[in-house]
């Protein structure tokens, strides 16, 4: 059976290097729900193609038709990146980053 989905779904638990939270991955988890920081592992969302592994700092949030887009900048290579927020993200932080 061949399944050529571009998005690689992997269950990955990790400890957030920014705040130390233990994050349970669900296969789509690409950032810490507690502090919203992420890790530079993707070139395109979900592909895990980057070897940078730098910490991705959330710089702002854009609200779009009821959904939230998190904008990141990698501390190592300054790569800019955008992901969708997850339902368990810390909402107070999202609000703080809106309209920055
Ligand atoms: Zn964190
Ligand atoms: Zn990077």
């Amino acid at each position: 059976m061949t399944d050529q989905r571009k998005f690689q779904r992997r269950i990955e638990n990790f400890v957030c290097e920014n705040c130390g939270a233990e994050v349970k991955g669900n296969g789509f988890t690409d950032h810490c729900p507690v502090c919203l920081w992420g890790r530079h592992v993707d070139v395109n969302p979900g592909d895990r193609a980057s070897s940078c592994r730098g910490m991705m700092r959330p710089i702002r949030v854009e609200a779009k038709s009821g959904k939230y887009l998190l904008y990141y900048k990698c501390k190592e290579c300054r790569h800019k990146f955008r992901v969708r927020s997850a339902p368990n993200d810390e909402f107070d932080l999202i609000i703080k980053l809106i309209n920055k």
Side-chain angles (χ1 to χ4, degrees), residues 52-79:
C52 174
R53 298 288 187 271
M55 290 304 288
M56 302 272 282
R57 177 187 157 88
I59 48 175
R60 69 184 182 94
V61 171
E62 195 177 290
K64 221 175 194 180
S65 53
K67 297 207 167 104
Y68 300 97
L69 296 171
L70 312 183
Y71 287 78
Y72 286 95
K73 194 170 171 186
C74 177
K75 280 178 77 179
E76 303 300 323
C77 68
R78 302 186 171 270
H79 174 71

Side-chain angles (χ1 to χ4, degrees), residues 14-21 23 31-38 55:
F14 60 94
V15 175
C16 174
E17 283 189 25
N18 182 56
C19 72
V23 182
H31 57 274
C32 172
V34 180
C35 68
L36 303 183
W37 281 60
M55 290 304 288

